[in-house]
Structures are given as structure tokens and as C-alpha cells.
Amino acid sequence: MLDTPLVEIENLRVEFETGSGTVVGVEDVSFYINPGETVCVVGESGSGKSVSSLSLMRLVEFGGGEITGGRLKFRRDDGVTDIAQAEDSLMRSIRGNEIGMIFQEPMTSLNPVFTVGRQLTEGLRLHKGMTKDEAETRAIELLRLVRIPEPERRLKQYPHELSGGMRQRVVIAMALACEPRLLIADEPTTALDVTIQAEILALIDRLKRETGTAVMFITHDMAVVAQMADRVVVMYRGNKVEEGTVEEIFEAPKHPYTQALLAAVPKLGEMRGKSAPEPMKIMGQADSGRGPIPGTGKPLLEVKNLTQRFAVKGGLLRRTVANVHAVEDVSFTINIGETLSLVGESGCGKSSTGRSLLRLNEPQSGQVLLDGRDLLQLSQRELRAARRDVQMVFQDPFASLNPQMRLLDQVTEPLRNYGLESGSALEDRAARLFDRVELPRDFLRRYPHELSGGQRQRVAIARALAVNPKLIVADEAVSALDVSVQAQVVNLMMELQADLGISFLFISHDMAVVERVSHQAAVMYLGRIVEIGPRAAIFEDPQHSYTKTLLSAVPVPDPRKRKTEKDLNFKPIPSPIFPLDYEPGPSVYDEVAPGHFVLKS
């Protein structure tokens, strides 16, 4: 490793002008990154970690920020450039070519009107001078590198045709296309499943070793830090509060904030030997005093043989040429006041299952019995009434909240729609809901963009609670949250369950959180449930090979237990697309223990 740093950030200060005055995004931050080194910048949302990375790309100016102090020294072939002072034309040649960036939200960093192929080849043709054919060949190589199935077909598709996990892999392929010297990865694995996350981390690690690329890795996931970092920079409210090697930070954290961050990480195996879910202990907060949340064993929702397929259209006349078998013969039961978790990789059908329960996607066949009534047989009017009992919290709270409405109006909207409250009673109910999700009442006057991601997700939960539902479908509801906020939201959901007897269908790829919250767990693969049973059975005695693979891929928050690519025995995911005449067989299960079922292969 060379002694001269590739990047030196000295006394960086970034300010934002807002309607209520100047806000300091980063106050006075200094650190360096050597060639071939991974520096993880950790901290909660609002700590300034993303602002630091956007300053290095000089993109912070496009978000209303200004670098008002400090130097950003970047070592290039012809000497050291201060990025803070660089001309726009020079920045255009550095961006994407010498510094690559993986953005956190893949849907907003891909252009919805261009194909994946067009977006992947653009940088190669611009910076590397490749011909159209050369760029296309390289693009297919890159998609294979990030393990996207059928890369030739994907080049012709648009971003909205891919799942969230796939879009994120396309963004990663784009960032790697020109083999940059510095790769800035801003929460690159937040939207990914454990197996793909493990692979992407191994991929970035391998590229770093092979090409000497330096990596600035921004994350709030301490297990990812343990897996990836050489050194760690901990940020809090715009300042660096601690810096050290990964072993120093994990084994002897000095700053109270670093200690609190590590304490809030859910660890796989913490629930071993416990029969029921129980809230997490959060450092610095009084224990809620709640013990385990026992189940009732009384069914609320029974799903039988649910099947959901999506048509694949092609040709000039846009005829249906094949079907995506998203959900295939899925059955499960959710009991009153209990949580069933659905886990699996992106594209396995878990979100499609959740959406088809509310008929946001119309299933082809099956039954969804809520208190004995089949939701799939209801008229639109009856369905509207039934949806009072089943509410949904979506993965991306920013997309599911209306940017033009005050939060007060959004939280009370379901109450007005169902004619449950009116006048001043509406505002009182909204205030009580905000108390329930631990948000200040004065936030009711705010708009979604004025809140952090964790706060927005709480608003989404408050809105779902407004009509007193019996069941909440939480689709990746905590995946984009910081560890401490995630711990608070998970505890909030458990408290609501204990107090109000609400049932949850908890769709997630975070196995440690799933182990914490579930009464029952179901593992999905290629549209089918391959294993289902009590939480303890799935986590402590997994039987299906895919469940074992999922659990082995979970990163451990211990830098001395890193996983290598050899540990990750992954097979390519087969395509869920089948010809029109394909008729799959039914799902047949073996009961290996009471209530613990495994799909027969």
C-alpha cells in the first residue's frame, strides 16, 4: 500500500441555505483514503456522511449546498487536484471516470426513459471512446459481474421492469464500468437481500484487491462495516467523533455515540432459546418493561394456494409471449396478534404476495380469507370496506407519502375516506397517532421532505394505524432506516402488537430483524414458500438448503469473522419466466416437526 493518500479531506465545511436560515451539513471534517483501502463512513441519517461524499463528486452544489471551507485533495496522474476549486469541465471528466459513485436510491439514479443498455454504455463511450458494439459487450460483462440473470435481455429493458435489488445492481455495474480509482458507495446494499448483499460486498472487495481501487463506503449497517472496512470514520451531527481501524472501533469504541451505534445492532442468534418475540434494548433509553409477546394461536388471515402471474409482452403487437410466475401456490396462516415474516431474495415474490393480499395486484387464483371472508371474491365496494382491516406500510416512505400534502392531512385522510372522524376530532386523533409513533405534534404541520427517512416511515405507520386495522402488511418497512431508528420502529411495532393485538405480515430480507420480531417465518424462493414454521424452528433448525444459504450469508458484526467468496456458495438464480403453456405442479410439503413444513424438491 502506498504511503501517499489518494484522497485527503481537510477541514471540510458544507452549508445549505434554507427558508429558515443557514444549515450546516458538515461542520469540520478531515480524513484520508489510501489507494486500495476501504474506509467506511458510518453515522445516522443527517450526520453528514452523504454530504461528504457528494462534496467529493462536487454534486452537493446541485442539491443546494455550498462548500464554504476546507480542501478536497485528489491524486491524479498529473498531480494533486483540489476538487473544491476544480473547473466544471475537469469535474465532468473526473466524475464516472476517475471517481465512480453508487447512489443509495436506485430508482432515482437511473433514468426512467432510457433502457438499461443505453445507460450502461453511455459512460463507456464517453470516457473510454468505445464503439457501440464494444460498449455493449462490456455492459453484458458488467451485468454478469453483478450477477444479473439473462443480461442480454436486461439491456433492452427499462428500469421500472426490474426489481429494486436488480436496479441497485445495475447502478453498481454503471459505477464500476470505467474502473475508477475511487469508488464512493453510498448505502449501496440497503435495498438488497442478504445473499446479493454478501455477493456485492465480496465483489467490491475483490475489485479493490485486483484493481487497487480505493473505496469510500457509506453505511449505517455495522455488520457491513465489519465485513468491509479497513478503517472506520464515525460521524455525528456534521462532525467526525471517532476514527480508527475496524478492530479498534468494534472492540474498543471510545465515543458514547459509537458505543450506542454498536449496541443497537440486532445480531443473528440473540433470540436463541426464546419462545416469543421481545422488544430490543436500546442504549440510553429506559427499558419499556415489556416482556415477550406470546401468540394467540387463533387464525386471522388464511391464504390458500395463492397464484400471481404477470404477462410478458413482446413483438410489434405487444402480445403476451410468456408469464412471470411471481407467486406460485402459496399458503400460510397469520394468527391474531402475531407476526409472520416472509423472507427471500429480491424477485422471489414476497412483495407480490403482500400486494396481492390487498388486491393491489389481482391474483390469478387462490383464496385470501380474513375472518372467514374471501377478499378475492369481494366487489370493489366491499373490498374498499375490507381494506380498513388490512393496511400496508411500503418500503419507500418518500414515494408513498404525497409531497404536496401536510402530514396532518395525510394521516387523517383514511379517517375522512371512511367517515370515521370529522372536524376537530380529526386533529386530536392525528396528534394521538403521532404520540403513539413518538413524533412531535408540531410535525403535523410539516411536509414529507422536511423529515428524515426514519421519521417519514413513522408517519407511514401512523397513517396505517389510523383506521385501527387488524393486520398490517409491512413491506421492507425498516430496511432503509438507521440501526437506532430501526430498533425504535421495530420496538414500536411490537408495542402496538402487545397493546392493540395487531397482526403483521413482515416482509423483509434482514434476517436478524426477522428473528427478533417473528412468531412464524416463511422462506420464499422463486415464487414458492420452501420452508415455513415457528421462528425458532426456521432459525435454529433450518432444513431446506436455500434457508441454510440465506442464514449463512448474513454478515456478522465482528471484523474477525469476515466471510470470503469461498464461504458464499451461490448458484445463479433461475429465471421465473416461463412459456404460456407451462403448468407448474402444486407445492407439496413434508412436516419435519409440528408446524414446521419443508417443500419437497
Side-chain angles (χ1 to χ4, degrees), residues 113-153:
V113 300
F114 292 138
T115 61
V116 167
R118 162 99 186 252
Q119 297 184 61
L120 261 174
T121 53
E122 191 176 29
L124 294 165
R125 295 180 70 181
L126 179 72
H127 293 303
K128 297 287 182 207
M130 290 185 177
T131 64
K132 189 165 181 268
D133 290 349
E134 287 169 343
E136 233 163 70
T137 307
R138 172 78 177 132
I140 290 169
E141 269 172 34
L142 286 161
L143 290 181
R144 282 214 179 92
L145 195 66
V146 294
R147 251 194 89 229
I148 285 187
E150 306 173 272
E152 293 83 359
R153 235 184 94 243

mmCIF file of all heavy atoms in Angstrom, residues 113-153:
data_model
loop_
_atom_site.group_PDB
_atom_site.id
_atom_site.type_symbol
_atom_site.label_atom_id
_atom_site.label_comp_id
_atom_site.label_asym_id
_atom_site.label_seq_id
_atom_site.Cartn_x
_atom_site.Cartn_y
_atom_site.Cartn_z
ATOM 1 N N VAL A 113 -36.520 6.900 -18.725
ATOM 2 C CA VAL A 113 -36.898 6.886 -20.147
ATOM 3 C C VAL A 113 -35.860 6.218 -21.044
ATOM 4 O O VAL A 113 -36.088 6.050 -22.237
ATOM 5 C CB VAL A 113 -37.213 8.308 -20.694
ATOM 6 C CG1 VAL A 113 -38.353 8.923 -19.920
ATOM 7 C CG2 VAL A 113 -35.988 9.201 -20.648
ATOM 8 N N PHE A 114 -34.697 5.830 -20.482
ATOM 9 C CA PHE A 114 -33.684 5.144 -21.282
ATOM 10 C C PHE A 114 -33.560 3.683 -20.850
ATOM 11 O O PHE A 114 -33.759 3.367 -19.676
ATOM 12 C CB PHE A 114 -32.306 5.809 -21.130
ATOM 13 C CG PHE A 114 -32.229 7.177 -21.729
ATOM 14 C CD1 PHE A 114 -31.572 8.199 -21.062
ATOM 15 C CD2 PHE A 114 -32.806 7.460 -22.966
ATOM 16 C CE1 PHE A 114 -31.495 9.480 -21.600
ATOM 17 C CE2 PHE A 114 -32.732 8.725 -23.515
ATOM 18 C CZ PHE A 114 -32.078 9.745 -22.838
ATOM 19 N N THR A 115 -33.198 2.826 -21.800
ATOM 20 C CA THR A 115 -33.015 1.416 -21.448
ATOM 21 C C THR A 115 -31.780 1.260 -20.561
ATOM 22 O O THR A 115 -30.912 2.138 -20.526
ATOM 23 C CB THR A 115 -32.807 0.547 -22.700
ATOM 24 O OG1 THR A 115 -31.624 1.007 -23.364
ATOM 25 C CG2 THR A 115 -34.005 0.601 -23.627
ATOM 26 N N VAL A 116 -31.717 0.118 -19.894
ATOM 27 C CA VAL A 116 -30.559 -0.194 -19.052
ATOM 28 C C VAL A 116 -29.285 -0.187 -19.902
ATOM 29 O O VAL A 116 -28.249 0.343 -19.499
ATOM 30 C CB VAL A 116 -30.777 -1.572 -18.374
ATOM 31 C CG1 VAL A 116 -29.497 -2.097 -17.761
ATOM 32 C CG2 VAL A 116 -31.884 -1.468 -17.334
ATOM 33 N N GLY A 117 -29.383 -0.755 -21.114
ATOM 34 C CA GLY A 117 -28.213 -0.813 -22.005
ATOM 35 C C GLY A 117 -27.697 0.568 -22.373
ATOM 36 O O GLY A 117 -26.493 0.833 -22.328
ATOM 37 N N ARG A 118 -28.612 1.472 -22.704
ATOM 38 C CA ARG A 118 -28.218 2.833 -23.079
ATOM 39 C C ARG A 118 -27.479 3.512 -21.916
ATOM 40 O O ARG A 118 -26.476 4.209 -22.102
ATOM 41 C CB ARG A 118 -29.482 3.617 -23.469
ATOM 42 C CG ARG A 118 -29.354 5.124 -23.468
ATOM 43 C CD ARG A 118 -29.115 5.660 -24.865
ATOM 44 N NE ARG A 118 -28.859 7.087 -24.810
ATOM 45 C CZ ARG A 118 -29.706 8.027 -25.227
ATOM 46 N NH1 ARG A 118 -30.858 7.686 -25.754
ATOM 47 N NH2 ARG A 118 -29.384 9.297 -25.152
ATOM 48 N N GLN A 119 -27.988 3.307 -20.694
ATOM 49 C CA GLN A 119 -27.381 3.972 -19.538
ATOM 50 C C GLN A 119 -26.033 3.362 -19.165
ATOM 51 O O GLN A 119 -25.138 4.065 -18.702
ATOM 52 C CB GLN A 119 -28.348 3.923 -18.344
ATOM 53 C CG GLN A 119 -29.629 4.680 -18.660
ATOM 54 C CD GLN A 119 -30.592 4.747 -17.497
ATOM 55 O OE1 GLN A 119 -30.269 5.294 -16.454
ATOM 56 N NE2 GLN A 119 -31.794 4.211 -17.675
ATOM 57 N N LEU A 120 -25.898 2.052 -19.382
ATOM 58 C CA LEU A 120 -24.625 1.395 -19.062
ATOM 59 C C LEU A 120 -23.529 1.740 -20.066
ATOM 60 O O LEU A 120 -22.364 1.856 -19.709
ATOM 61 C CB LEU A 120 -24.827 -0.126 -19.055
ATOM 62 C CG LEU A 120 -25.029 -0.796 -17.702
ATOM 63 C CD1 LEU A 120 -25.365 -2.251 -17.906
ATOM 64 C CD2 LEU A 120 -23.780 -0.680 -16.832
ATOM 65 N N THR A 121 -23.923 1.896 -21.349
ATOM 66 C CA THR A 121 -22.894 2.102 -22.385
ATOM 67 C C THR A 121 -22.498 3.572 -22.516
ATOM 68 O O THR A 121 -21.437 3.878 -23.050
ATOM 69 C CB THR A 121 -23.399 1.595 -23.756
ATOM 70 O OG1 THR A 121 -24.671 2.213 -24.035
ATOM 71 C CG2 THR A 121 -23.581 0.090 -23.753
ATOM 72 N N GLU A 122 -23.314 4.474 -21.998
ATOM 73 C CA GLU A 122 -23.078 5.914 -22.171
ATOM 74 C C GLU A 122 -21.701 6.324 -21.649
ATOM 75 O O GLU A 122 -20.912 6.977 -22.342
ATOM 76 C CB GLU A 122 -24.181 6.681 -21.431
ATOM 77 C CG GLU A 122 -24.223 8.157 -21.740
ATOM 78 C CD GLU A 122 -25.409 8.825 -21.048
ATOM 79 O OE1 GLU A 122 -25.842 8.363 -19.966
ATOM 80 O OE2 GLU A 122 -25.886 9.811 -21.590
ATOM 81 N N GLY A 123 -21.390 5.922 -20.382
ATOM 82 C CA GLY A 123 -20.111 6.299 -19.783
ATOM 83 C C GLY A 123 -18.934 5.676 -20.512
ATOM 84 O O GLY A 123 -17.876 6.302 -20.670
ATOM 85 N N LEU A 124 -19.100 4.434 -20.971
ATOM 86 C CA LEU A 124 -18.012 3.736 -21.671
ATOM 87 C C LEU A 124 -17.682 4.431 -22.989
ATOM 88 O O LEU A 124 -16.523 4.583 -23.358
ATOM 89 C CB LEU A 124 -18.420 2.280 -21.937
ATOM 90 C CG LEU A 124 -18.587 1.407 -20.687
ATOM 91 C CD1 LEU A 124 -19.324 0.119 -21.015
ATOM 92 C CD2 LEU A 124 -17.220 1.085 -20.084
ATOM 93 N N ARG A 125 -18.705 4.875 -23.691
ATOM 94 C CA ARG A 125 -18.467 5.535 -24.979
ATOM 95 C C ARG A 125 -17.890 6.936 -24.773
ATOM 96 O O ARG A 125 -17.037 7.382 -25.521
ATOM 97 C CB ARG A 125 -19.767 5.589 -25.781
ATOM 98 C CG ARG A 125 -20.257 4.183 -26.151
ATOM 99 C CD ARG A 125 -21.519 4.172 -26.934
ATOM 100 N NE ARG A 125 -21.303 4.678 -28.299
ATOM 101 C CZ ARG A 125 -22.257 4.792 -29.208
ATOM 102 N NH1 ARG A 125 -23.483 4.443 -28.899
ATOM 103 N NH2 ARG A 125 -22.003 5.244 -30.417
ATOM 104 N N LEU A 126 -18.361 7.611 -23.713
ATOM 105 C CA LEU A 126 -17.907 8.974 -23.442
ATOM 106 C C LEU A 126 -16.467 8.997 -22.928
ATOM 107 O O LEU A 126 -15.615 9.725 -23.448
ATOM 108 C CB LEU A 126 -18.848 9.613 -22.404
ATOM 109 C CG LEU A 126 -18.523 11.031 -21.970
ATOM 110 C CD1 LEU A 126 -18.844 12.003 -23.101
ATOM 111 C CD2 LEU A 126 -19.315 11.417 -20.720
ATOM 112 N N HIS A 127 -16.189 8.184 -21.889
ATOM 113 C CA HIS A 127 -14.876 8.259 -21.235
ATOM 114 C C HIS A 127 -13.839 7.336 -21.860
ATOM 115 O O HIS A 127 -12.654 7.627 -21.836
ATOM 116 C CB HIS A 127 -15.009 7.901 -19.742
ATOM 117 C CG HIS A 127 -15.797 8.886 -18.948
ATOM 118 N ND1 HIS A 127 -15.475 10.217 -18.878
ATOM 119 C CD2 HIS A 127 -16.914 8.737 -18.182
ATOM 120 C CE1 HIS A 127 -16.349 10.851 -18.097
ATOM 121 N NE2 HIS A 127 -17.236 9.969 -17.671
ATOM 122 N N LYS A 128 -14.284 6.188 -22.399
ATOM 123 C CA LYS A 128 -13.322 5.192 -22.902
ATOM 124 C C LYS A 128 -13.250 5.164 -24.425
ATOM 125 O O LYS A 128 -12.465 4.393 -24.994
ATOM 126 C CB LYS A 128 -13.714 3.782 -22.398
ATOM 127 C CG LYS A 128 -13.675 3.631 -20.886
ATOM 128 C CD LYS A 128 -12.255 3.591 -20.372
ATOM 129 C CE LYS A 128 -12.196 3.390 -18.879
ATOM 130 N NZ LYS A 128 -10.992 3.936 -18.275
ATOM 131 N N GLY A 129 -14.110 5.954 -25.093
ATOM 132 C CA GLY A 129 -14.065 6.017 -26.561
ATOM 133 C C GLY A 129 -14.401 4.703 -27.242
ATOM 134 O O GLY A 129 -13.918 4.419 -28.339
ATOM 135 N N MET A 130 -15.235 3.870 -26.617
ATOM 136 C CA MET A 130 -15.574 2.568 -27.215
ATOM 137 C C MET A 130 -16.613 2.743 -28.311
ATOM 138 O O MET A 130 -17.398 3.690 -28.297
ATOM 139 C CB MET A 130 -16.163 1.629 -26.145
ATOM 140 C CG MET A 130 -15.186 1.151 -25.115
ATOM 141 S SD MET A 130 -16.007 -0.053 -24.008
ATOM 142 C CE MET A 130 -14.626 -0.525 -22.981
ATOM 143 N N THR A 131 -16.628 1.780 -29.235
ATOM 144 C CA THR A 131 -17.704 1.763 -30.237
ATOM 145 C C THR A 131 -18.966 1.209 -29.566
ATOM 146 O O THR A 131 -18.910 0.673 -28.457
ATOM 147 C CB THR A 131 -17.350 0.837 -31.416
ATOM 148 O OG1 THR A 131 -17.248 -0.505 -30.898
ATOM 149 C CG2 THR A 131 -16.034 1.228 -32.059
ATOM 150 N N LYS A 132 -20.079 1.303 -30.290
ATOM 151 C CA LYS A 132 -21.362 0.844 -29.731
ATOM 152 C C LYS A 132 -21.285 -0.645 -29.371
ATOM 153 O O LYS A 132 -21.707 -1.073 -28.301
ATOM 154 C CB LYS A 132 -22.451 1.083 -30.778
ATOM 155 C CG LYS A 132 -23.872 0.864 -30.273
ATOM 156 C CD LYS A 132 -24.868 1.461 -31.247
ATOM 157 C CE LYS A 132 -26.292 1.264 -30.739
ATOM 158 N NZ LYS A 132 -26.936 0.074 -31.211
ATOM 159 N N ASP A 133 -20.709 -1.450 -30.294
ATOM 160 C CA ASP A 133 -20.641 -2.901 -30.057
ATOM 161 C C ASP A 133 -19.716 -3.243 -28.893
ATOM 162 O O ASP A 133 -20.019 -4.109 -28.065
ATOM 163 C CB ASP A 133 -20.168 -3.638 -31.325
ATOM 164 C CG ASP A 133 -21.241 -3.601 -32.403
ATOM 165 O OD1 ASP A 133 -22.378 -3.201 -32.072
ATOM 166 O OD2 ASP A 133 -20.942 -3.944 -33.565
ATOM 167 N N GLU A 134 -18.545 -2.554 -28.835
ATOM 168 C CA GLU A 134 -17.597 -2.814 -27.739
ATOM 169 C C GLU A 134 -18.249 -2.482 -26.391
ATOM 170 O O GLU A 134 -18.130 -3.229 -25.425
ATOM 171 C CB GLU A 134 -16.338 -1.949 -27.906
ATOM 172 C CG GLU A 134 -15.422 -2.398 -29.022
ATOM 173 C CD GLU A 134 -14.337 -1.354 -29.324
ATOM 174 O OE1 GLU A 134 -14.470 -0.178 -28.919
ATOM 175 O OE2 GLU A 134 -13.358 -1.721 -29.977
ATOM 176 N N ALA A 135 -18.947 -1.337 -26.356
ATOM 177 C CA ALA A 135 -19.590 -0.903 -25.102
ATOM 178 C C ALA A 135 -20.671 -1.899 -24.689
ATOM 179 O O ALA A 135 -20.839 -2.191 -23.504
ATOM 180 C CB ALA A 135 -20.172 0.495 -25.270
ATOM 181 N N GLU A 136 -21.394 -2.442 -25.699
ATOM 182 C CA GLU A 136 -22.459 -3.394 -25.378
ATOM 183 C C GLU A 136 -21.885 -4.694 -24.810
ATOM 184 O O GLU A 136 -22.410 -5.265 -23.854
ATOM 185 C CB GLU A 136 -23.300 -3.682 -26.620
ATOM 186 C CG GLU A 136 -24.778 -3.467 -26.348
ATOM 187 C CD GLU A 136 -25.609 -3.347 -27.613
ATOM 188 O OE1 GLU A 136 -25.768 -4.369 -28.299
ATOM 189 O OE2 GLU A 136 -26.072 -2.230 -27.897
ATOM 190 N N THR A 137 -20.793 -5.157 -25.414
ATOM 191 C CA THR A 137 -20.135 -6.379 -24.922
ATOM 192 C C THR A 137 -19.670 -6.178 -23.485
ATOM 193 O O THR A 137 -19.856 -7.047 -22.620
ATOM 194 C CB THR A 137 -18.922 -6.726 -25.820
ATOM 195 O OG1 THR A 137 -19.360 -6.767 -27.171
ATOM 196 C CG2 THR A 137 -18.315 -8.063 -25.445
ATOM 197 N N ARG A 138 -19.059 -5.013 -23.221
ATOM 198 C CA ARG A 138 -18.582 -4.704 -21.861
ATOM 199 C C ARG A 138 -19.768 -4.597 -20.884
ATOM 200 O O ARG A 138 -19.688 -5.054 -19.744
ATOM 201 C CB ARG A 138 -17.777 -3.394 -21.898
ATOM 202 C CG ARG A 138 -17.373 -2.834 -20.543
ATOM 203 C CD ARG A 138 -16.186 -3.554 -19.949
ATOM 204 N NE ARG A 138 -15.786 -2.951 -18.694
ATOM 205 C CZ ARG A 138 -15.536 -3.630 -17.586
ATOM 206 N NH1 ARG A 138 -15.612 -4.947 -17.584
ATOM 207 N NH2 ARG A 138 -15.162 -3.027 -16.488
ATOM 208 N N ALA A 139 -20.887 -4.027 -21.353
ATOM 209 C CA ALA A 139 -22.077 -3.879 -20.499
ATOM 210 C C ALA A 139 -22.605 -5.246 -20.077
ATOM 211 O O ALA A 139 -22.991 -5.448 -18.915
ATOM 212 C CB ALA A 139 -23.153 -3.085 -21.229
ATOM 213 N N ILE A 140 -22.612 -6.204 -21.014
ATOM 214 C CA ILE A 140 -23.084 -7.568 -20.688
ATOM 215 C C ILE A 140 -22.145 -8.207 -19.664
ATOM 216 O O ILE A 140 -22.581 -8.848 -18.710
ATOM 217 C CB ILE A 140 -23.200 -8.420 -21.979
ATOM 218 C CG1 ILE A 140 -24.382 -7.898 -22.817
ATOM 219 C CG2 ILE A 140 -23.391 -9.896 -21.650
ATOM 220 C CD1 ILE A 140 -24.455 -8.447 -24.221
ATOM 221 N N GLU A 141 -20.818 -7.976 -19.851
ATOM 222 C CA GLU A 141 -19.832 -8.488 -18.882
ATOM 223 C C GLU A 141 -20.114 -7.922 -17.484
ATOM 224 O O GLU A 141 -20.075 -8.629 -16.485
ATOM 225 C CB GLU A 141 -18.418 -8.026 -19.277
ATOM 226 C CG GLU A 141 -17.662 -8.949 -20.177
ATOM 227 C CD GLU A 141 -16.358 -8.264 -20.643
ATOM 228 O OE1 GLU A 141 -15.750 -7.495 -19.872
ATOM 229 O OE2 GLU A 141 -15.975 -8.484 -21.798
ATOM 230 N N LEU A 142 -20.389 -6.612 -17.441
ATOM 231 C CA LEU A 142 -20.629 -5.943 -16.155
ATOM 232 C C LEU A 142 -21.881 -6.489 -15.472
ATOM 233 O O LEU A 142 -21.890 -6.707 -14.257
ATOM 234 C CB LEU A 142 -20.778 -4.427 -16.355
ATOM 235 C CG LEU A 142 -19.485 -3.669 -16.654
ATOM 236 C CD1 LEU A 142 -19.794 -2.317 -17.273
ATOM 237 C CD2 LEU A 142 -18.658 -3.478 -15.383
ATOM 238 N N LEU A 143 -22.936 -6.735 -16.256
ATOM 239 C CA LEU A 143 -24.172 -7.270 -15.669
ATOM 240 C C LEU A 143 -23.943 -8.687 -15.148
ATOM 241 O O LEU A 143 -24.503 -9.078 -14.119
ATOM 242 C CB LEU A 143 -25.317 -7.257 -16.694
ATOM 243 C CG LEU A 143 -25.849 -5.869 -17.081
ATOM 244 C CD1 LEU A 143 -26.988 -6.001 -18.082
ATOM 245 C CD2 LEU A 143 -26.325 -5.084 -15.868
ATOM 246 N N ARG A 144 -23.101 -9.448 -15.857
ATOM 247 C CA ARG A 144 -22.768 -10.798 -15.350
ATOM 248 C C ARG A 144 -21.982 -10.686 -14.046
ATOM 249 O O ARG A 144 -22.166 -11.470 -13.124
ATOM 250 C CB ARG A 144 -21.916 -11.547 -16.376
ATOM 251 C CG ARG A 144 -22.736 -12.092 -17.505
ATOM 252 C CD ARG A 144 -22.213 -13.429 -18.041
ATOM 253 N NE ARG A 144 -23.101 -13.853 -19.098
ATOM 254 C CZ ARG A 144 -22.913 -13.556 -20.379
ATOM 255 N NH1 ARG A 144 -21.873 -12.859 -20.757
ATOM 256 N NH2 ARG A 144 -23.773 -13.959 -21.292
ATOM 257 N N LEU A 145 -21.102 -9.699 -14.003
ATOM 258 C CA LEU A 145 -20.250 -9.486 -12.835
ATOM 259 C C LEU A 145 -21.090 -9.230 -11.584
ATOM 260 O O LEU A 145 -20.767 -9.699 -10.500
ATOM 261 C CB LEU A 145 -19.352 -8.266 -13.108
ATOM 262 C CG LEU A 145 -18.155 -8.035 -12.216
ATOM 263 C CD1 LEU A 145 -17.136 -9.140 -12.405
ATOM 264 C CD2 LEU A 145 -17.510 -6.691 -12.532
ATOM 265 N N VAL A 146 -22.204 -8.478 -11.749
ATOM 266 C CA VAL A 146 -23.066 -8.196 -10.591
ATOM 267 C C VAL A 146 -24.227 -9.193 -10.511
ATOM 268 O O VAL A 146 -25.217 -8.965 -9.843
ATOM 269 C CB VAL A 146 -23.600 -6.739 -10.598
ATOM 270 C CG1 VAL A 146 -22.475 -5.759 -10.412
ATOM 271 C CG2 VAL A 146 -24.359 -6.425 -11.868
ATOM 272 N N ARG A 147 -24.072 -10.312 -11.234
ATOM 273 C CA ARG A 147 -24.990 -11.466 -11.132
ATOM 274 C C ARG A 147 -26.432 -11.145 -11.490
ATOM 275 O O ARG A 147 -27.344 -11.477 -10.753
ATOM 276 C CB ARG A 147 -24.929 -12.050 -9.722
ATOM 277 C CG ARG A 147 -24.235 -13.400 -9.693
ATOM 278 C CD ARG A 147 -24.467 -14.127 -8.417
ATOM 279 N NE ARG A 147 -25.650 -14.937 -8.467
ATOM 280 C CZ ARG A 147 -26.580 -14.940 -7.538
ATOM 281 N NH1 ARG A 147 -26.494 -14.148 -6.512
ATOM 282 N NH2 ARG A 147 -27.627 -15.722 -7.644
ATOM 283 N N ILE A 148 -26.609 -10.497 -12.624
ATOM 284 C CA ILE A 148 -27.971 -10.285 -13.117
ATOM 285 C C ILE A 148 -28.261 -11.380 -14.140
ATOM 286 O O ILE A 148 -27.497 -11.548 -15.092
ATOM 287 C CB ILE A 148 -28.119 -8.879 -13.735
ATOM 288 C CG1 ILE A 148 -28.174 -7.855 -12.604
ATOM 289 C CG2 ILE A 148 -29.354 -8.785 -14.612
ATOM 290 C CD1 ILE A 148 -28.476 -6.454 -13.016
ATOM 291 N N PRO A 149 -29.340 -12.145 -13.947
ATOM 292 C CA PRO A 149 -29.637 -13.212 -14.911
ATOM 293 C C PRO A 149 -30.070 -12.636 -16.255
ATOM 294 O O PRO A 149 -30.606 -11.531 -16.326
ATOM 295 C CB PRO A 149 -30.790 -13.978 -14.244
ATOM 296 C CG PRO A 149 -31.372 -13.042 -13.242
ATOM 297 C CD PRO A 149 -30.311 -12.075 -12.850
ATOM 298 N N GLU A 150 -29.811 -13.378 -17.329
ATOM 299 C CA GLU A 150 -30.184 -13.003 -18.701
ATOM 300 C C GLU A 150 -29.763 -11.568 -19.059
ATOM 301 O O GLU A 150 -30.592 -10.732 -19.388
ATOM 302 C CB GLU A 150 -31.707 -13.129 -18.896
ATOM 303 C CG GLU A 150 -32.263 -14.489 -18.527
ATOM 304 C CD GLU A 150 -33.787 -14.497 -18.570
ATOM 305 O OE1 GLU A 150 -34.410 -14.171 -17.555
ATOM 306 O OE2 GLU A 150 -34.324 -14.834 -19.641
ATOM 307 N N PRO A 151 -28.446 -11.261 -18.978
ATOM 308 C CA PRO A 151 -28.008 -9.866 -19.178
ATOM 309 C C PRO A 151 -28.359 -9.307 -20.563
ATOM 310 O O PRO A 151 -28.675 -8.124 -20.683
ATOM 311 C CB PRO A 151 -26.495 -9.918 -18.964
ATOM 312 C CG PRO A 151 -26.118 -11.347 -19.057
ATOM 313 C CD PRO A 151 -27.306 -12.143 -18.664
ATOM 314 N N GLU A 152 -28.340 -10.164 -21.590
ATOM 315 C CA GLU A 152 -28.638 -9.653 -22.941
ATOM 316 C C GLU A 152 -30.059 -9.093 -22.996
ATOM 317 O O GLU A 152 -30.313 -8.059 -23.626
ATOM 318 C CB GLU A 152 -28.484 -10.764 -24.001
ATOM 319 C CG GLU A 152 -27.050 -11.267 -24.198
ATOM 320 C CD GLU A 152 -26.627 -12.324 -23.173
ATOM 321 O OE1 GLU A 152 -27.437 -12.673 -22.277
ATOM 322 O OE2 GLU A 152 -25.483 -12.784 -23.260
ATOM 323 N N ARG A 153 -30.998 -9.784 -22.311
ATOM 324 C CA ARG A 153 -32.383 -9.306 -22.301
ATOM 325 C C ARG A 153 -32.533 -8.028 -21.481
ATOM 326 O O ARG A 153 -33.293 -7.134 -21.819
ATOM 327 C CB ARG A 153 -33.288 -10.399 -21.724
ATOM 328 C CG ARG A 153 -34.432 -10.751 -22.664
ATOM 329 C CD ARG A 153 -35.395 -11.766 -22.089
ATOM 330 N NE ARG A 153 -36.494 -11.090 -21.455
ATOM 331 C CZ ARG A 153 -36.762 -11.164 -20.167
ATOM 332 N NH1 ARG A 153 -35.985 -11.889 -19.383
ATOM 333 N NH2 ARG A 153 -37.785 -10.543 -19.655
#
